Amino acid sequence: MDRLRRMAEFARKQKGKGIVLRGNDTCLLLGERGGRQPLNKVMSAEEIESLLREVLPAELAAPLDAGETFTFIHPTPEGELTVRVAHAAGVLEVTVGLPGEARAELDLTAVQPAPEPPVFTPASPAPVAVPAGLLPVGQVAPPLEVIPPPGVPLAPARPSEPRPLGDFPPDYLPGLFRAALAAPASDVHLEGGSRPWARVNGEVYPLDYGRALSADQVQAALFDLLPPEPRTRWIADGIVEFCFTFEDRARIRCTVFPGARGMCASCRLLPLRPPSLSDLQAPGFVADLARAERGLVLVGGVRGAGTTTTLAALVHAINGARRARVVTLEGPVEFLHRSERALVTQVEVPTHAPSLLDALRRLSLADVDVCALGEATDPALLLAALKLAEGGALVLGVVRQPDVPAVVEHLLDCAATASRQPGERVLRVLRGVVCQRLCRPRQPGRPVALFELLSVGAAAAALIRQGKPRELHGAMFMTFDNALAGCVKDEKITRDEALRQATDVDAVRRLLG
């Protein structure tokens, strides 16, 4: 059974007279009284064209490619389907009438404008209602029309030419970033065949900014955005990660990668200057760790939890208080640090060094007081950081683990590969562990940061020495569950959000009474 016949069968079961398919828009069911009922389904122009070509007579392929309007009959065992193909405002629209329905009743001779899409829940694949704050401000790039290729071929794995679409407006992405910053959004996502999307208050919404972009238009926009060196890596590898300063407003970290519909991009919007620990409302214990002369300080959390921002705040605190030589190893460099009391050197991978591990090993030969490692989860990297801390430097590292026990357990596992007494080796240099999570606020605004803290006291040291990191919560003076209960009582977050983020749901329920 072809796909068009299956859709007609669905319309028949819904007691409709036909169905309307419009590129990158909501599918519509034609009702018995002439109304149009939106369905919980969105189809791209490429998908509709592919469905159409399965049943299209050979002599109508040329009119379809030319964008002409025509009608044909598609025979099925249930009867003949009347199919009308048109291009309304440059967008492919297909109207399918069920067997026995009069063409006049279905209004197949005139193309009607598609209604506004309905509001769906965020779990729906269709666009959801966009918050008012997401509307673009100032000058907006003109609407862009999707140019669908014939069929549904997969996009090339990497760009093959320096500027794929010459007439694409070069100011599209700058205007998009200005609109996202005004929202304010934390991330912007681009993908061929889709409108731009933005993350606001932890949730992703379609951004009301022009029309959907074709794969070629996304690729052209990214070519305009990439500096020469990342562009060369992109052409060679098909994937690249880089960071740049946008109009003295923000730092933007971009990850560009291939997808089934062409190149995709995820852009994280960061503050222009490193935040302070007070800006993050971090507990005083975090500032105490920044004052350590030597040892190992680990910042834990999953991706998107703000660990990189906290690491930058620790470097900022050291930079303003200590006369020291500070080196940051990042891939890419996100926050820019200007030397104040300390001399800060930022090394970017792979621009300045082939890998983080190679750059970290070379630091053992340099005069370094503080090393900040943007990613230390890899066992080899963590062992190299441990060795540098044993040599007398203060090493700050980000470990992608969800909580303090998981961070310490990972550290012990790494140390066990190179030492018979991993607990003793870790205790010689470990100064503390900070883990964090971001929660949705009760009122719209910035996410609420929660911190879980481990100070290596006698009780914690005994558990680490015995290899029992999972029991560390009992030796900590601040855990996520305690912080969640406190935020609910202070009305910063809701009870449901606290239970969603809890490490031990029953413990949080008891704390909340």
Side-chain angles (χ1 to χ4, degrees):
M1 181 184 294
D2 59 69
R3 287 184 287 170
L4 195 64
R5 180 184 167 194
R6 286 201 298 267
M7 298 195 75
E9 183 66 22
F10 170 79
R12 184 180 297 105
K13 291 180 179 179
Q14 298 298 318
K15 298 183 179 180
K17 290 189 175 184
I19 198 163
V20 178
L21 312 176
R22 185 177 172 87
N24 303 302
D25 210 337
T26 307
C27 301
L28 303 173
L29 179 70
L30 299 177
E32 293 182 350
R33 298 182 180 179
R36 294 189 171 198
Q37 176 186 350
L39 302 174
N40 191 2
K41 182 175 180 61
V42 176
M43 294 185 69
S44 68
E46 293 89 342
E47 291 172 325
I48 296 174
E49 185 173 344
S50 172
L51 175 150
L52 192 60
R53 288 183 185 273
E54 289 182 2
V55 299
L56 191 70
E59 64 272 14
L60 294 179
L64 176 62
D65 294 336
E68 298 178 8
T69 297
F70 56 88
T71 301
F72 68 94
I73 301 298
H74 174 50
T76 69
E78 294 79 20
E80 294 181 340
L81 301 179
T82 305
V83 184
R84 185 178 190 277
V85 181
H87 287 77
V91 179
L92 177 64
E93 181 174 281
V94 176
T95 306
V96 182
L98 298 186
E101 301 296 343
R103 291 176 59 185
E105 293 179 4
L106 291 174
D107 195 16
L108 295 178
T109 59
V111 177
Q112 302 178 8
E116 291 296 321
V119 176
F120 293 97
T121 61
S124 168
V128 298
V130 182
L134 279 179
L135 295 178
V137 295
Q139 185 176 3
V140 179
L144 304 170
E145 293 186 2
V146 176
I147 307 175
V152 194
L154 292 182
R158 56 177 61 89
S160 57
E161 50 187 275
R163 188 63 162 79
L165 198 62
D167 60 348
F168 185 81
D171 60 342
Y172 179 85
L173 280 185
L176 175 61
F177 290 144
R178 294 186 200 109
L181 288 168
S186 62
D187 300 83
V188 173
H189 300 282
L190 297 173
E191 182 175 354
S194 173
R195 295 159 59 190
W197 287 63
R199 184 180 296 276
V200 180
N201 295 332
E203 297 183 337
V204 181
Y205 299 92
L207 187 61
D208 189 9
Y209 186 83
R211 291 189 179 182
L213 300 178
S214 69
D216 283 346
Q217 287 169 338
V218 171
Q219 186 167 315
L222 295 174
F223 262 99
D224 290 336
L225 183 65
L226 265 71
E229 198 276 334
R231 184 183 298 174
T232 301
R233 282 190 274 126
W234 183 31
I235 294 175
D237 302 332
I239 185 169
V240 68
E241 189 173 18
F242 66 100
C243 200
F244 67 98
T245 301
F246 174 66
E247 295 183 348
D248 290 331
R249 297 186 181 197
R251 291 281 290 173
I252 299 182
R253 186 188 71 204
C254 294
T255 302
V256 182
F257 56 96
R261 294 183 180 177
M263 286 296 168
C264 308
S266 295
C267 304
R268 171 67 54 87
L269 309 179
L270 302 166
L272 189 61
R273 293 174 179 81
S276 66
L277 292 172
S278 59
D279 292 336
L280 303 181
Q281 299 183 352
F285 171 70
V286 182
D288 293 339
L289 292 176
R291 287 190 282 269
E293 288 290 324
R294 63 187 61 84
L296 182 64
V297 174
L298 298 179
V299 180
V302 298
R303 293 192 181 276
T307 51
T308 304
T309 303
T310 299
L311 182 69
L314 287 167
V315 173
H316 180 66
I318 295 170
N319 188 21
R322 181 176 172 185
R323 295 205 173 275
R325 176 82 160 93
V326 180
V327 177
T328 72
L329 306 180
E330 306 166 76
V333 170
E334 296 186 4
F335 295 94
L336 298 178
H337 297 274
R338 296 180 180 179
S339 298
E340 297 175 7
R341 290 182 64 85
L343 172 61
V344 182
T345 301
Q346 295 186 263
V347 178
E348 183 173 85
V349 173
T351 306
H352 307 132
S355 67
L356 287 171
L357 182 59
D358 182 76
L360 185 57
R361 285 172 173 170
R362 293 178 184 180
L363 284 185
S364 60
L365 304 176
D367 178 25
V368 176
D369 298 302
V370 180
C371 172
L373 190 57
E375 180 67 61
T377 306
D378 182 77
L381 270 174
L382 202 49
L383 275 178
L386 193 64
K387 184 176 180 180
L388 186 62
E390 289 171 336
L394 174 62
V395 180
L396 315 173
V398 171
V399 179
R400 301 295 178 189
Q401 295 290 340
D403 53 26
V404 166
V407 171
V408 176
E409 184 176 38
H410 183 60
L411 179 60
L412 288 171
D413 289 343
C414 294
T417 63
S419 174
R420 293 182 179 178
Q421 295 180 318
E424 293 294 341
R425 186 179 183 185
V426 166
L427 288 173
R428 283 198 294 267
V429 295
L430 186 62
R431 294 292 173 264
V433 180
V434 180
C435 282
Q436 66 184 81
R437 295 176 186 172
L438 296 181
C439 295
R440 298 169 186 167
R442 178 182 288 270
Q443 301 296 332
R446 293 175 56 185
V448 177
L450 298 180
F451 294 89
E452 186 170 72
L453 310 173
L454 173 67
S455 176
V456 187
L463 292 172
I464 293 174
R465 189 176 288 111
Q466 297 168 19
K468 299 179 179 179
R470 284 294 163 186
E471 300 179 18
L472 282 173
H473 273 143
M476 295 163 54
F477 63 90
M478 182 176 291
T479 66
F480 280 134
D481 291 344
N482 289 331
L484 286 167
C487 286
V488 172
K489 293 176 181 177
D490 294 340
E491 298 186 348
K492 294 181 179 180
I493 64 174
T494 63
R495 181 187 180 93
D496 288 343
E497 178 67 6
L499 296 176
R500 187 180 73 88
Q501 293 276 7
T503 302
D504 186 338
V505 176
D506 292 334
V508 172
R509 284 200 179 101
R510 288 194 297 271
L511 290 170
L512 294 175

